[in-house]
Each structure stands twice: as structure tokens, then as C-alpha cells.
């Protein structure tokens, strides 16, 4: 698959490029082509000869891709998305974007009027584009460390079955994340709000690179 990472020069974008760059064609997007190329070179150094990673501007990255991952901070989601609308055709868009604020004491979920970042993206993107919400509780630092075996679950929600299958497949390729179907895109506020919750728990209890996993308490 060709995967565009919009704002892929940042923390989570680098993590996805490292994890998917051996099997897929990764196109790191940026507002600055040189910055994107530098990021691609860094990821290729990690992956070696098996890596398939390039850098370009966000618009070209989206236009060339089958899957687009929105790797920008929430405050820039609307402007970045509307500014790049011409580049979309019928891609699958994955939103790991979390709208949250920090009041000096703790993190809070702070969604837009649409209900969530993913629903905001859905409202802005062409109808031909399918939107999936995923990866909000996956730690970028852990993703970037290719030797790290992740123990977390990846919660994924969306309205299109085929798009969900692709997102589940991509999550399952990250060793050894467990993809979990969390329902329709309308459930995205619940997924996104797990991140400020997780960060608060991690902070208070001094847990580094925290993640969330659902366990079964059924005795076998
Ligand atoms: N970090 C995590 O552990 C993590 C985990 C789960 C989900 N997320 C979510 O993933 C998204 C990205 O997080 P991140 O930590 O990777 O963010 P980041 O490193 O702070 O920023 C990502 C990229 O966004 C672009 N950007 C910054 N300001 C912009 C602007 N004004 N207009 C357009 N693009 C701009 C930059 O790319 P260019 O300068 O190259 O254009 C930057 O490299 C966020 O929505 C976050 O909630 C993060």
C-alpha cells in the first residue's frame, strides 16, 4: 500500500514510517519538502536497505496514496485538511488526532462541535473518502523504537467495513499490537478521550510510554 503521512515529520508520523516502511511505500508529507526528505532519510537509516520511504509536500503525498494518516496536532487539523482538499480522491483517511488541553494540572478532552477530531475531519473531507479513527493511545516513542514489542491494544472505529479491515491489518503489522474494533465513527469521541485519561494516569503513577490493553477476566 502507498501510505501518506500528513505532517509525517513529527513524532507519531516518524513512528508509523518506522513500523510500516518495510512492507509499504511510505510517503512522508510536510509543509516543507526538505524537512520531509530529511525525515525520510532518518527513517531509512533505521530501516536500512529494506525501507521504502520518501519525503515530499503534503499535497503530493496525499495525491499519490491509498491510505492517508493525519499526523498533525489537533489545532491545525481543520486548516491542513481544507487546504489539501484538492489532493483527495477516494483514499482511506486514518485520524489518530486527539483534541485535548492541559490546564496546568491535568489533561482534558476538548472536542470540537462535530463531536471529535475524526468527525470534524469527516465533515471537511469529500464523501468519496472513507474515514477511520485509530491509534490515539499508541505511544509515538514506542513506535519509533523498532525493537520495542508493544503490548497495547489499538482501538479502531469507522463506518466502512473494508476501510476498517485495512486499518486493522495495518495495526496488526505493528508488533505486537492487538487491533480491536470499537464500533462506528460515532464512537470516536470515546476513543480520542482515552488519551488525556491515559496521560493523566501515566503522569500520576509515573508510567513511561504508557498504553492501554483490554484484558479478559474469564478463568479458563
Ligand atoms: N505523539 C504521540 O505519542 C501521539 C500518540 C497518538 C496520537 N497522536 C496524535 O497525532 C497527531 C500528531 O502528533 P505528534 O506528536 O506527531 O505532533 P507533532 O510532532 O507536534 O507535529 C506533527 C507535525 O505537524 C506539522 N505541523 C505543525 N504545525 C503545523 C501547522 N501550523 N500547519 C500544518 N502542519 C503543522 C509539522 O510538520 P511539518 O512542519 O513538516 O509540516 C509537525 O512535524 C496529534 O493530533 C496527536 O494528538 C500523537
Amino acid at each position: 500500500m502507498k501510505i501518506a503521512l500528513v505532517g509525517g515529520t513529527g513524532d507519531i508520523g516518524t513512528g508509523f514510517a518506522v513500523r510500516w516502511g518495510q512492507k509499504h511505500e511510505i510517503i512522508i508529507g510536510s509543509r516543507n519538502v526538505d524537512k520531509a526528505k530529511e525525515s525520510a532519510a532518518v527513517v531509512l537509516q533505521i530501516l536500512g536497505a529494506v525501507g521504502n520511504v520518501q519525503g515530499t509536500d503534503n499535497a503530493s503525498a496525499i495525491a499519490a496514496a491509498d491510505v492517508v494518516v493525519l499526523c498533525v496536532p489537533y489545532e491545525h487539523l481543520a486548516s491542513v485538511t481544507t487546504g489539501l482538499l484538492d489532493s483527495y480522491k477516494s483514499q482511506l483517511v486514518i485520524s489518530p488526532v486527539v483534541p485535548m488541553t492541559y490546564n496546568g494540572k491535568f489533561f482534558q478532552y476538548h472536542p470540537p462541535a462535530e463531536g471529535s477530531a475524526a468527525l470534524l475531519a469527516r465533515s471537511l473531507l469529500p464523501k468519496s473518502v472513507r474515514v477511520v479513527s485509530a491509534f490515539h493511545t499508541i505511544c509515538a516513542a514506542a513506535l519509533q523504537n523498532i525493537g520495542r514489542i508493544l503490548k497495547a491494544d489499538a482501538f479502531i472505529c469507522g463506518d466502512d467495513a473494508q476501510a476498517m479491515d485495512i486499518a486493522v491489518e495495518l495495526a496488526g503489522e505493528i508488533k505486537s499490537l492487538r487491533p480491536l474494533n470499537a464500533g462506528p465513527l460515532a464512537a470516536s469521541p470515546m476513543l480520542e478521550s482515552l488519551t488525556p485519561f491515559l496521560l493523566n494516569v501515566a503522569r500520576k503513577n509515573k508510567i513511561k510510554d504508557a498504553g492501554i490493553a483490554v484484558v479478559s477476566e474469564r478463568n479458563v
Side-chain angles (χ1 to χ4, degrees), residues 102-107 196-208 210:
Y102 183 67
N103 65 8
K105 287 185 177 165
F106 62 97
F107 294 95
F197 162 78
L198 176 63
L199 292 179
N200 290 329
V201 170
R203 228 166 207 254
K204 288 283 179 196
N205 298 278
K206 300 187 175 25
I207 301 168
K208 289 186 179 162

Side-chain angles (χ1 to χ4, degrees), residues 7 9-12 30-31 35 71-73 76 80 96 98 136 138 140:
T9 55
D11 289 333
I12 195 95
S30 171
R31 292 166 295 174
K35 187 177 171 186
C71 301
V72 293
H76 309 303
V80 168
V98 180
H136 312 91
I138 306 304

Side-chain angles (χ1 to χ4, degrees), residues 6-14 16 28-32 35-36 39 58 70-77 79-80 95-100 117 134-141 143-144 195 199:
V6 176
T9 55
D11 289 333
I12 195 95
T14 302
F16 288 135
I28 294 178
S30 171
R31 292 166 295 174
N32 178 324
K35 187 177 171 186
S39 283
N58 282 325
L70 304 173
C71 301
V72 293
Y74 168 72
E75 53 269 33
H76 309 303
L77 176 65
S79 60
V80 168
S95 171
V97 177
V98 180
M100 65 181 181
F135 300 116
H136 312 91
T137 51
I138 306 304
C139 169
L143 280 181
Q144 287 174 21
T195 302
L199 292 179

